[in-house]
Amino acid sequence: MTSQTDLAALLCSRLCHDMLSPVGALANGLELLAEEQDPEMRARCMELLEQSARVSTDKLKFFRLAFGAAGGFGEAIPIEEAKSVIDALAAGGKRVEINWAINDPSLPKPAVKVLLNLAQIALDALVRGGTLDIGAERRDGAVEIVARARGDRIAFDETIGRALQGDLAQAEITSRTAAAHMIALVAEELDGGLQYKLGEGVLVLGAVLPEPDGLIG
């Protein structure tokens, strides 16, 4: 098993990798703005700066919920928070339609972490756009989660699928598979499980997570 220190380092690498582009765009935009005198071009620079700032904020909100300790440990998280961060990520020019099927107003924090990470994996697979269906429900003391990506092209590295199922060797765990490995550990700690199925034009990711004591009902 990857040590907690190594896993934290890999997740930090993932965060830095994902933040490099929008933050770099901010720096470049500020340099251009400082040199540009044409009012029309300055207005265009401001638009690009606002866009990069929005993308950076959306990504940080996602990482806070998906990887961090937002809400404290063992707390229930409002499902609207999860919806807002995924909807924001999908709005970044991916041409993805998201359908939500979650009736509960909140879910246990571990379930929200798993849901967010499964949703992002499914979203990343829709490289040419498509539909992302996200559902979750409480049943018999457990939370069942599904994220289904449908599109003309599904780009999915099955190494990530193996990480979800806990089948990766330690040497194969990288910053690319760290998030999947993390939620596999979350599921294992709760005596739950994750699974995936890849077909023609569709990727289905699922989880069953027993609810933490004190949060059932």
Side-chain angles (χ1 to χ4, degrees), residues 102-138:
I102 305 176
N103 293 324
D104 291 283
S106 65
L107 290 174
K109 183 177 179 180
V112 172
K113 283 186 177 295
V114 170
L115 183 150
L116 288 173
N117 280 279
L118 293 183
Q120 188 185 48
I121 292 170
L123 188 61
D124 287 344
L126 291 170
V127 291
R128 292 183 180 172
T131 302
L132 175 56
D133 303 315
I134 305 171
E137 67 173 336
R138 284 174 150 129

PDB file of all heavy atoms in Angstrom, residues 102-138:
ATOM      1  N   ILE A 102     -30.420  12.875  -7.602  1.00  0.00           N
ATOM      2  CA  ILE A 102     -30.114  12.765  -6.165  1.00  0.00           C
ATOM      3  C   ILE A 102     -31.212  13.492  -5.410  1.00  0.00           C
ATOM      4  O   ILE A 102     -31.359  14.717  -5.549  1.00  0.00           O
ATOM      5  CB  ILE A 102     -28.744  13.361  -5.811  1.00  0.00           C
ATOM      6  CG1 ILE A 102     -27.631  12.723  -6.661  1.00  0.00           C
ATOM      7  CG2 ILE A 102     -28.449  13.168  -4.322  1.00  0.00           C
ATOM      8  CD1 ILE A 102     -26.269  13.334  -6.440  1.00  0.00           C
ATOM      9  N   ASN A 103     -31.969  12.783  -4.614  1.00  0.00           N
ATOM     10  CA  ASN A 103     -33.071  13.387  -3.864  1.00  0.00           C
ATOM     11  C   ASN A 103     -32.662  13.850  -2.469  1.00  0.00           C
ATOM     12  O   ASN A 103     -33.276  14.757  -1.912  1.00  0.00           O
ATOM     13  CB  ASN A 103     -34.240  12.404  -3.762  1.00  0.00           C
ATOM     14  CG  ASN A 103     -34.892  12.136  -5.109  1.00  0.00           C
ATOM     15  OD1 ASN A 103     -34.992  13.031  -5.943  1.00  0.00           O
ATOM     16  ND2 ASN A 103     -35.325  10.897  -5.324  1.00  0.00           N
ATOM     17  N   ASP A 104     -31.649  13.215  -1.888  1.00  0.00           N
ATOM     18  CA  ASP A 104     -31.235  13.577  -0.535  1.00  0.00           C
ATOM     19  C   ASP A 104     -30.608  14.969  -0.522  1.00  0.00           C
ATOM     20  O   ASP A 104     -29.796  15.298  -1.400  1.00  0.00           O
ATOM     21  CB  ASP A 104     -30.224  12.567   0.005  1.00  0.00           C
ATOM     22  CG  ASP A 104     -30.843  11.206   0.260  1.00  0.00           C
ATOM     23  OD1 ASP A 104     -31.531  11.065   1.285  1.00  0.00           O
ATOM     24  OD2 ASP A 104     -30.652  10.302  -0.576  1.00  0.00           O
ATOM     25  N   PRO A 105     -30.923  15.801   0.459  1.00  0.00           N
ATOM     26  CA  PRO A 105     -30.335  17.138   0.522  1.00  0.00           C
ATOM     27  C   PRO A 105     -28.862  17.130   0.911  1.00  0.00           C
ATOM     28  O   PRO A 105     -28.133  18.091   0.654  1.00  0.00           O
ATOM     29  CB  PRO A 105     -31.176  17.848   1.590  1.00  0.00           C
ATOM     30  CG  PRO A 105     -31.698  16.740   2.451  1.00  0.00           C
ATOM     31  CD  PRO A 105     -31.927  15.578   1.532  1.00  0.00           C
ATOM     32  N   SER A 106     -28.416  16.051   1.549  1.00  0.00           N
ATOM     33  CA  SER A 106     -27.013  15.940   1.939  1.00  0.00           C
ATOM     34  C   SER A 106     -26.616  14.472   1.949  1.00  0.00           C
ATOM     35  O   SER A 106     -27.471  13.583   2.012  1.00  0.00           O
ATOM     36  CB  SER A 106     -26.772  16.565   3.318  1.00  0.00           C
ATOM     37  OG  SER A 106     -27.467  15.843   4.321  1.00  0.00           O
ATOM     38  N   LEU A 107     -25.311  14.244   1.881  1.00  0.00           N
ATOM     39  CA  LEU A 107     -24.760  12.892   1.940  1.00  0.00           C
ATOM     40  C   LEU A 107     -23.548  12.905   2.859  1.00  0.00           C
ATOM     41  O   LEU A 107     -22.924  13.956   3.063  1.00  0.00           O
ATOM     42  CB  LEU A 107     -24.343  12.415   0.544  1.00  0.00           C
ATOM     43  CG  LEU A 107     -25.452  12.125  -0.466  1.00  0.00           C
ATOM     44  CD1 LEU A 107     -24.847  11.809  -1.833  1.00  0.00           C
ATOM     45  CD2 LEU A 107     -26.333  10.973   0.005  1.00  0.00           C
ATOM     46  N   PRO A 108     -23.181  11.746   3.432  1.00  0.00           N
ATOM     47  CA  PRO A 108     -21.976  11.694   4.257  1.00  0.00           C
ATOM     48  C   PRO A 108     -20.754  12.162   3.477  1.00  0.00           C
ATOM     49  O   PRO A 108     -20.664  11.958   2.260  1.00  0.00           O
ATOM     50  CB  PRO A 108     -21.858  10.211   4.624  1.00  0.00           C
ATOM     51  CG  PRO A 108     -23.239   9.675   4.483  1.00  0.00           C
ATOM     52  CD  PRO A 108     -23.865  10.439   3.357  1.00  0.00           C
ATOM     53  N   LYS A 109     -19.829  12.770   4.162  1.00  0.00           N
ATOM     54  CA  LYS A 109     -18.649  13.316   3.506  1.00  0.00           C
ATOM     55  C   LYS A 109     -17.899  12.286   2.666  1.00  0.00           C
ATOM     56  O   LYS A 109     -17.490  12.606   1.534  1.00  0.00           O
ATOM     57  CB  LYS A 109     -17.718  13.935   4.541  1.00  0.00           C
ATOM     58  CG  LYS A 109     -16.496  14.587   3.919  1.00  0.00           C
ATOM     59  CD  LYS A 109     -15.640  15.244   4.975  1.00  0.00           C
ATOM     60  CE  LYS A 109     -14.415  15.865   4.335  1.00  0.00           C
ATOM     61  NZ  LYS A 109     -13.554  16.527   5.336  1.00  0.00           N
ATOM     62  N   PRO A 110     -17.664  11.046   3.157  1.00  0.00           N
ATOM     63  CA  PRO A 110     -16.967  10.069   2.303  1.00  0.00           C
ATOM     64  C   PRO A 110     -17.703   9.807   0.996  1.00  0.00           C
ATOM     65  O   PRO A 110     -17.073   9.663  -0.052  1.00  0.00           O
ATOM     66  CB  PRO A 110     -16.912   8.808   3.176  1.00  0.00           C
ATOM     67  CG  PRO A 110     -17.027   9.298   4.576  1.00  0.00           C
ATOM     68  CD  PRO A 110     -17.927  10.486   4.504  1.00  0.00           C
ATOM     69  N   ALA A 111     -19.034   9.766   1.057  1.00  0.00           N
ATOM     70  CA  ALA A 111     -19.812   9.533  -0.163  1.00  0.00           C
ATOM     71  C   ALA A 111     -19.672  10.697  -1.127  1.00  0.00           C
ATOM     72  O   ALA A 111     -19.596  10.497  -2.351  1.00  0.00           O
ATOM     73  CB  ALA A 111     -21.284   9.309   0.187  1.00  0.00           C
ATOM     74  N   VAL A 112     -19.633  11.919  -0.615  1.00  0.00           N
ATOM     75  CA  VAL A 112     -19.470  13.087  -1.471  1.00  0.00           C
ATOM     76  C   VAL A 112     -18.097  13.073  -2.134  1.00  0.00           C
ATOM     77  O   VAL A 112     -17.957  13.389  -3.322  1.00  0.00           O
ATOM     78  CB  VAL A 112     -19.684  14.387  -0.671  1.00  0.00           C
ATOM     79  CG1 VAL A 112     -19.312  15.615  -1.506  1.00  0.00           C
ATOM     80  CG2 VAL A 112     -21.141  14.496  -0.223  1.00  0.00           C
ATOM     81  N   LYS A 113     -17.068  12.708  -1.385  1.00  0.00           N
ATOM     82  CA  LYS A 113     -15.727  12.606  -1.968  1.00  0.00           C
ATOM     83  C   LYS A 113     -15.714  11.599  -3.114  1.00  0.00           C
ATOM     84  O   LYS A 113     -15.158  11.861  -4.193  1.00  0.00           O
ATOM     85  CB  LYS A 113     -14.713  12.196  -0.903  1.00  0.00           C
ATOM     86  CG  LYS A 113     -14.278  13.287   0.040  1.00  0.00           C
ATOM     87  CD  LYS A 113     -13.174  12.779   0.951  1.00  0.00           C
ATOM     88  CE  LYS A 113     -12.670  13.886   1.860  1.00  0.00           C
ATOM     89  NZ  LYS A 113     -12.013  14.964   1.102  1.00  0.00           N
ATOM     90  N   VAL A 114     -16.306  10.446  -2.890  1.00  0.00           N
ATOM     91  CA  VAL A 114     -16.338   9.414  -3.927  1.00  0.00           C
ATOM     92  C   VAL A 114     -17.152   9.901  -5.119  1.00  0.00           C
ATOM     93  O   VAL A 114     -16.742   9.754  -6.278  1.00  0.00           O
ATOM     94  CB  VAL A 114     -16.903   8.103  -3.360  1.00  0.00           C
ATOM     95  CG1 VAL A 114     -17.171   7.093  -4.476  1.00  0.00           C
ATOM     96  CG2 VAL A 114     -15.933   7.504  -2.338  1.00  0.00           C
ATOM     97  N   LEU A 115     -18.314  10.490  -4.862  1.00  0.00           N
ATOM     98  CA  LEU A 115     -19.164  10.988  -5.941  1.00  0.00           C
ATOM     99  C   LEU A 115     -18.428  12.009  -6.795  1.00  0.00           C
ATOM    100  O   LEU A 115     -18.468  11.951  -8.038  1.00  0.00           O
ATOM    101  CB  LEU A 115     -20.436  11.586  -5.348  1.00  0.00           C
ATOM    102  CG  LEU A 115     -21.492  12.103  -6.335  1.00  0.00           C
ATOM    103  CD1 LEU A 115     -22.889  11.952  -5.727  1.00  0.00           C
ATOM    104  CD2 LEU A 115     -21.262  13.562  -6.699  1.00  0.00           C
ATOM    105  N   LEU A 116     -17.758  12.967  -6.152  1.00  0.00           N
ATOM    106  CA  LEU A 116     -17.057  14.003  -6.898  1.00  0.00           C
ATOM    107  C   LEU A 116     -15.944  13.427  -7.761  1.00  0.00           C
ATOM    108  O   LEU A 116     -15.768  13.813  -8.920  1.00  0.00           O
ATOM    109  CB  LEU A 116     -16.476  15.039  -5.936  1.00  0.00           C
ATOM    110  CG  LEU A 116     -17.482  15.974  -5.260  1.00  0.00           C
ATOM    111  CD1 LEU A 116     -16.799  16.820  -4.204  1.00  0.00           C
ATOM    112  CD2 LEU A 116     -18.143  16.877  -6.295  1.00  0.00           C
ATOM    113  N   ASN A 117     -15.179  12.506  -7.207  1.00  0.00           N
ATOM    114  CA  ASN A 117     -14.074  11.938  -7.966  1.00  0.00           C
ATOM    115  C   ASN A 117     -14.563  11.056  -9.112  1.00  0.00           C
ATOM    116  O   ASN A 117     -14.000  11.093 -10.210  1.00  0.00           O
ATOM    117  CB  ASN A 117     -13.140  11.161  -7.034  1.00  0.00           C
ATOM    118  CG  ASN A 117     -12.189  12.061  -6.278  1.00  0.00           C
ATOM    119  OD1 ASN A 117     -11.174  12.481  -6.809  1.00  0.00           O
ATOM    120  ND2 ASN A 117     -12.522  12.361  -5.030  1.00  0.00           N
ATOM    121  N   LEU A 118     -15.615  10.288  -8.881  1.00  0.00           N
ATOM    122  CA  LEU A 118     -16.180   9.491  -9.974  1.00  0.00           C
ATOM    123  C   LEU A 118     -16.730  10.398 -11.069  1.00  0.00           C
ATOM    124  O   LEU A 118     -16.567  10.123 -12.264  1.00  0.00           O
ATOM    125  CB  LEU A 118     -17.273   8.562  -9.456  1.00  0.00           C
ATOM    126  CG  LEU A 118     -16.846   7.422  -8.526  1.00  0.00           C
ATOM    127  CD1 LEU A 118     -18.051   6.563  -8.165  1.00  0.00           C
ATOM    128  CD2 LEU A 118     -15.753   6.568  -9.144  1.00  0.00           C
ATOM    129  N   ALA A 119     -17.388  11.486 -10.658  1.00  0.00           N
ATOM    130  CA  ALA A 119     -17.943  12.420 -11.637  1.00  0.00           C
ATOM    131  C   ALA A 119     -16.840  13.057 -12.479  1.00  0.00           C
ATOM    132  O   ALA A 119     -16.987  13.210 -13.700  1.00  0.00           O
ATOM    133  CB  ALA A 119     -18.760  13.501 -10.933  1.00  0.00           C
ATOM    134  N   GLN A 120     -15.726  13.424 -11.846  1.00  0.00           N
ATOM    135  CA  GLN A 120     -14.652  14.039 -12.620  1.00  0.00           C
ATOM    136  C   GLN A 120     -13.993  13.034 -13.561  1.00  0.00           C
ATOM    137  O   GLN A 120     -13.645  13.371 -14.704  1.00  0.00           O
ATOM    138  CB  GLN A 120     -13.592  14.665 -11.724  1.00  0.00           C
ATOM    139  CG  GLN A 120     -12.590  15.465 -12.552  1.00  0.00           C
ATOM    140  CD  GLN A 120     -11.446  16.020 -11.775  1.00  0.00           C
ATOM    141  OE1 GLN A 120     -10.827  15.319 -11.004  1.00  0.00           O
ATOM    142  NE2 GLN A 120     -11.146  17.290 -11.997  1.00  0.00           N
ATOM    143  N   ILE A 121     -13.813  11.792 -13.108  1.00  0.00           N
ATOM    144  CA  ILE A 121     -13.260  10.767 -13.988  1.00  0.00           C
ATOM    145  C   ILE A 121     -14.159  10.586 -15.205  1.00  0.00           C
ATOM    146  O   ILE A 121     -13.687  10.511 -16.352  1.00  0.00           O
ATOM    147  CB  ILE A 121     -13.101   9.436 -13.226  1.00  0.00           C
ATOM    148  CG1 ILE A 121     -12.007   9.569 -12.162  1.00  0.00           C
ATOM    149  CG2 ILE A 121     -12.761   8.297 -14.184  1.00  0.00           C
ATOM    150  CD1 ILE A 121     -11.942   8.388 -11.201  1.00  0.00           C
ATOM    151  N   ALA A 122     -15.466  10.524 -14.981  1.00  0.00           N
ATOM    152  CA  ALA A 122     -16.413  10.380 -16.083  1.00  0.00           C
ATOM    153  C   ALA A 122     -16.390  11.603 -16.986  1.00  0.00           C
ATOM    154  O   ALA A 122     -16.451  11.482 -18.220  1.00  0.00           O
ATOM    155  CB  ALA A 122     -17.820  10.146 -15.539  1.00  0.00           C
ATOM    156  N   LEU A 123     -16.290  12.780 -16.386  1.00  0.00           N
ATOM    157  CA  LEU A 123     -16.251  14.020 -17.161  1.00  0.00           C
ATOM    158  C   LEU A 123     -15.002  14.072 -18.040  1.00  0.00           C
ATOM    159  O   LEU A 123     -15.065  14.453 -19.220  1.00  0.00           O
ATOM    160  CB  LEU A 123     -16.285  15.217 -16.212  1.00  0.00           C
ATOM    161  CG  LEU A 123     -16.442  16.612 -16.819  1.00  0.00           C
ATOM    162  CD1 LEU A 123     -17.745  16.734 -17.578  1.00  0.00           C
ATOM    163  CD2 LEU A 123     -16.365  17.660 -15.710  1.00  0.00           C
ATOM    164  N   ASP A 124     -13.861  13.675 -17.484  1.00  0.00           N
ATOM    165  CA  ASP A 124     -12.616  13.665 -18.254  1.00  0.00           C
ATOM    166  C   ASP A 124     -12.682  12.700 -19.430  1.00  0.00           C
ATOM    167  O   ASP A 124     -11.995  12.888 -20.438  1.00  0.00           O
ATOM    168  CB  ASP A 124     -11.442  13.286 -17.348  1.00  0.00           C
ATOM    169  CG  ASP A 124     -11.056  14.397 -16.385  1.00  0.00           C
ATOM    170  OD1 ASP A 124     -11.481  15.551 -16.614  1.00  0.00           O
ATOM    171  OD2 ASP A 124     -10.340  14.117 -15.411  1.00  0.00           O
ATOM    172  N   ALA A 125     -13.497  11.651 -19.291  1.00  0.00           N
ATOM    173  CA  ALA A 125     -13.605  10.661 -20.372  1.00  0.00           C
ATOM    174  C   ALA A 125     -14.372  11.193 -21.577  1.00  0.00           C
ATOM    175  O   ALA A 125     -14.235  10.658 -22.678  1.00  0.00           O
ATOM    176  CB  ALA A 125     -14.282   9.387 -19.850  1.00  0.00           C
ATOM    177  N   LEU A 126     -15.146  12.252 -21.389  1.00  0.00           N
ATOM    178  CA  LEU A 126     -15.974  12.793 -22.474  1.00  0.00           C
ATOM    179  C   LEU A 126     -15.182  13.838 -23.249  1.00  0.00           C
ATOM    180  O   LEU A 126     -15.482  15.037 -23.218  1.00  0.00           O
ATOM    181  CB  LEU A 126     -17.255  13.386 -21.899  1.00  0.00           C
ATOM    182  CG  LEU A 126     -18.247  12.378 -21.309  1.00  0.00           C
ATOM    183  CD1 LEU A 126     -19.354  13.101 -20.548  1.00  0.00           C
ATOM    184  CD2 LEU A 126     -18.833  11.498 -22.406  1.00  0.00           C
ATOM    185  N   VAL A 127     -14.164  13.393 -23.969  1.00  0.00           N
ATOM    186  CA  VAL A 127     -13.253  14.323 -24.635  1.00  0.00           C
ATOM    187  C   VAL A 127     -13.915  15.058 -25.793  1.00  0.00           C
ATOM    188  O   VAL A 127     -13.432  16.117 -26.216  1.00  0.00           O
ATOM    189  CB  VAL A 127     -11.999  13.577 -25.126  1.00  0.00           C
ATOM    190  CG1 VAL A 127     -11.157  13.128 -23.953  1.00  0.00           C
ATOM    191  CG2 VAL A 127     -12.370  12.388 -26.004  1.00  0.00           C
ATOM    192  N   ARG A 128     -14.989  14.520 -26.348  1.00  0.00           N
ATOM    193  CA  ARG A 128     -15.709  15.191 -27.431  1.00  0.00           C
ATOM    194  C   ARG A 128     -17.115  15.597 -27.006  1.00  0.00           C
ATOM    195  O   ARG A 128     -18.000  15.808 -27.828  1.00  0.00           O
ATOM    196  CB  ARG A 128     -15.779  14.281 -28.656  1.00  0.00           C
ATOM    197  CG  ARG A 128     -14.435  14.049 -29.319  1.00  0.00           C
ATOM    198  CD  ARG A 128     -14.567  13.207 -30.558  1.00  0.00           C
ATOM    199  NE  ARG A 128     -13.286  12.970 -31.198  1.00  0.00           N
ATOM    200  CZ  ARG A 128     -13.091  12.136 -32.215  1.00  0.00           C
ATOM    201  NH1 ARG A 128     -14.118  11.452 -32.705  1.00  0.00           N
ATOM    202  NH2 ARG A 128     -11.892  11.973 -32.744  1.00  0.00           N
ATOM    203  N   GLY A 129     -17.336  15.699 -25.701  1.00  0.00           N
ATOM    204  CA  GLY A 129     -18.640  16.058 -25.199  1.00  0.00           C
ATOM    205  C   GLY A 129     -19.556  14.849 -25.105  1.00  0.00           C
ATOM    206  O   GLY A 129     -19.198  13.731 -25.475  1.00  0.00           O
ATOM    207  N   GLY A 130     -20.740  15.100 -24.577  1.00  0.00           N
ATOM    208  CA  GLY A 130     -21.704  14.017 -24.411  1.00  0.00           C
ATOM    209  C   GLY A 130     -22.599  14.277 -23.226  1.00  0.00           C
ATOM    210  O   GLY A 130     -22.888  15.432 -22.880  1.00  0.00           O
ATOM    211  N   THR A 131     -23.020  13.215 -22.582  1.00  0.00           N
ATOM    212  CA  THR A 131     -23.950  13.300 -21.452  1.00  0.00           C
ATOM    213  C   THR A 131     -23.338  12.631 -20.233  1.00  0.00           C
ATOM    214  O   THR A 131     -22.761  11.548 -20.333  1.00  0.00           O
ATOM    215  CB  THR A 131     -25.284  12.616 -21.791  1.00  0.00           C
ATOM    216  OG1 THR A 131     -25.844  13.235 -22.951  1.00  0.00           O
ATOM    217  CG2 THR A 131     -26.273  12.744 -20.636  1.00  0.00           C
ATOM    218  N   LEU A 132     -23.475  13.282 -19.096  1.00  0.00           N
ATOM    219  CA  LEU A 132     -23.009  12.721 -17.831  1.00  0.00           C
ATOM    220  C   LEU A 132     -24.203  12.616 -16.888  1.00  0.00           C
ATOM    221  O   LEU A 132     -24.816  13.628 -16.536  1.00  0.00           O
ATOM    222  CB  LEU A 132     -21.925  13.614 -17.217  1.00  0.00           C
ATOM    223  CG  LEU A 132     -21.419  13.230 -15.820  1.00  0.00           C
ATOM    224  CD1 LEU A 132     -20.893  11.806 -15.797  1.00  0.00           C
ATOM    225  CD2 LEU A 132     -20.357  14.210 -15.351  1.00  0.00           C
ATOM    226  N   ASP A 133     -24.548  11.381 -16.521  1.00  0.00           N
ATOM    227  CA  ASP A 133     -25.631  11.124 -15.565  1.00  0.00           C
ATOM    228  C   ASP A 133     -25.016  10.791 -14.210  1.00  0.00           C
ATOM    229  O   ASP A 133     -24.173   9.890 -14.111  1.00  0.00           O
ATOM    230  CB  ASP A 133     -26.495   9.955 -16.037  1.00  0.00           C
ATOM    231  CG  ASP A 133     -27.082  10.186 -17.422  1.00  0.00           C
ATOM    232  OD1 ASP A 133     -27.578  11.303 -17.666  1.00  0.00           O
ATOM    233  OD2 ASP A 133     -27.029   9.262 -18.258  1.00  0.00           O
ATOM    234  N   ILE A 134     -25.448  11.512 -13.176  1.00  0.00           N
ATOM    235  CA  ILE A 134     -24.915  11.302 -11.829  1.00  0.00           C
ATOM    236  C   ILE A 134     -26.077  11.035 -10.886  1.00  0.00           C
ATOM    237  O   ILE A 134     -27.012  11.837 -10.795  1.00  0.00           O
ATOM    238  CB  ILE A 134     -24.126  12.525 -11.340  1.00  0.00           C
ATOM    239  CG1 ILE A 134     -23.011  12.880 -12.337  1.00  0.00           C
ATOM    240  CG2 ILE A 134     -23.532  12.260  -9.960  1.00  0.00           C
ATOM    241  CD1 ILE A 134     -22.327  14.197 -12.033  1.00  0.00           C
ATOM    242  N   GLY A 135     -26.016   9.926 -10.185  1.00  0.00           N
ATOM    243  CA  GLY A 135     -27.084   9.578  -9.253  1.00  0.00           C
ATOM    244  C   GLY A 135     -26.545   9.043  -7.947  1.00  0.00           C
ATOM    245  O   GLY A 135     -25.424   8.519  -7.881  1.00  0.00           O
ATOM    246  N   ALA A 136     -27.321   9.188  -6.907  1.00  0.00           N
ATOM    247  CA  ALA A 136     -26.966   8.635  -5.598  1.00  0.00           C
ATOM    248  C   ALA A 136     -28.238   8.477  -4.784  1.00  0.00           C
ATOM    249  O   ALA A 136     -29.157   9.300  -4.877  1.00  0.00           O
ATOM    250  CB  ALA A 136     -25.979   9.540  -4.864  1.00  0.00           C
ATOM    251  N   GLU A 137     -28.301   7.408  -3.994  1.00  0.00           N
ATOM    252  CA  GLU A 137     -29.434   7.221  -3.095  1.00  0.00           C
ATOM    253  C   GLU A 137     -29.017   6.394  -1.894  1.00  0.00           C
ATOM    254  O   GLU A 137     -28.085   5.583  -1.970  1.00  0.00           O
ATOM    255  CB  GLU A 137     -30.602   6.547  -3.811  1.00  0.00           C
ATOM    256  CG  GLU A 137     -30.372   5.110  -4.234  1.00  0.00           C
ATOM    257  CD  GLU A 137     -31.635   4.471  -4.788  1.00  0.00           C
ATOM    258  OE1 GLU A 137     -32.731   4.937  -4.442  1.00  0.00           O
ATOM    259  OE2 GLU A 137     -31.515   3.504  -5.558  1.00  0.00           O
ATOM    260  N   ARG A 138     -29.714   6.651  -0.800  1.00  0.00           N
ATOM    261  CA  ARG A 138     -29.501   5.871   0.409  1.00  0.00           C
ATOM    262  C   ARG A 138     -30.420   4.654   0.364  1.00  0.00           C
ATOM    263  O   ARG A 138     -31.609   4.775   0.085  1.00  0.00           O
ATOM    264  CB  ARG A 138     -29.821   6.704   1.643  1.00  0.00           C
ATOM    265  CG  ARG A 138     -28.750   7.728   1.983  1.00  0.00           C
ATOM    266  CD  ARG A 138     -29.211   8.585   3.123  1.00  0.00           C
ATOM    267  NE  ARG A 138     -28.115   9.066   3.926  1.00  0.00           N
ATOM    268  CZ  ARG A 138     -27.927  10.328   4.254  1.00  0.00           C
ATOM    269  NH1 ARG A 138     -28.767  11.244   3.795  1.00  0.00           N
ATOM    270  NH2 ARG A 138     -26.917  10.698   5.013  1.00  0.00           N
TER     271      ARG A 138
END
